[in-house]
């Protein structure tokens, strides 16, 4: 089981989804835009950012996984922990791509850099 789909599901409904011991995905609503040069309209959306300082488990992700997968809360916590360990292991030597969320890499200074995807609009009001 991968937790990426569950994180993506929750981003439609909540402004912040914390992945314990990894960080939090935070959304900020941005208004519609117009590009006057190309005459293109862009719908309002949620801008996705990542905060590596949000480490503590708030229970949102684990409770959601437990409910959807019909498993106990502690099993959901264990699943999240294993997934985060895999992410951290893969980040040591390559880029980490999270489908419909974005990608991570470690820069030359050892900092975690997040590049959000632009193909998903998490603002349900814009549909």
């Amino acid at each position: 089981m991968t937790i990426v789909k569950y994180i993506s599901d929750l981003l439609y409904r909540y402004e912040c989804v914390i992945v314990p011991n990894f960080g939090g995905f935070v959304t900020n609503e941005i208004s519609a835009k117009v590009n006057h040069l190309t005459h293109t309209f862009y719908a309002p959306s949620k801008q996705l950012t990542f905060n590596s300082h949000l480490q503590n488990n708030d229970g949102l992700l684990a409770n959601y996984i437990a409910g959807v997968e019909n498993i106990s809360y502690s099993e959901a916590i264990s699943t999240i922990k294993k997934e985060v360990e895999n992410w951290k292991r893969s980040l040591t030597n390559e880029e980490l791509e999270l489908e419909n969320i974005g990608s991570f890499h470690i820069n030359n200074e050892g900092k975690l850099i997040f590049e959000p995807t632009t193909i998903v609009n998490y603002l349900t009001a814009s549909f």
Side-chain angles (χ1 to χ4, degrees):
M1 161 191 357
T2 178
I3 66 170
V4 175
K5 182 190 178 337
Y6 302 120
I7 296 167
S8 182
D9 289 350
L10 289 169
L11 286 170
Y12 283 104
R13 291 182 267 170
Y14 298 95
E15 292 177 1
C16 181
V17 177
I18 296 174
V19 180
N21 299 316
F22 189 73
F25 294 96
V26 180
T27 61
N28 298 301
E29 196 169 321
I30 55 175
S31 58
K33 296 179 188 174
V34 177
N35 183 329
H36 295 288
L37 296 174
T38 61
H39 305 289
T40 307
F41 291 92
Y42 297 96
S45 63
K46 280 186 177 180
Q47 178 183 24
L48 185 59
T49 58
F50 180 77
N51 185 337
S52 61
H53 297 290
L54 298 174
Q55 296 278 317
N56 293 331
N57 183 16
D58 64 354
L60 178 68
L61 180 59
N63 277 318
Y64 183 68
I65 292 172
V68 171
E69 292 291 326
N70 199 22
I71 58 176
S72 71
Y73 179 82
S74 60
E75 287 175 303
I77 291 290
S78 177
T79 299
I80 294 168
K81 183 179 177 186
K82 288 176 190 171
E83 187 83 8
V84 167
E85 289 169 357
N86 290 337
W87 290 354
K88 288 180 177 180
R89 195 172 18 262
S90 72
L91 274 169
T92 59
N93 50 349
E94 62 186 39
E95 186 175 282
L96 173 66
E97 180 73 33
L98 302 181
E99 186 179 3
N100 294 328
I101 295 175
S103 62
F104 289 92
H105 70 273
I106 305 290
N107 70 6
N108 295 337
E109 295 148 11
K111 301 215 185 237
L112 188 61
I113 305 299
F114 175 65
E115 189 66 38
T117 186
T118 57
I119 59 170
V120 177
N121 184 354
Y122 286 108
L123 184 62
T124 56
S126 69
F127 291 102

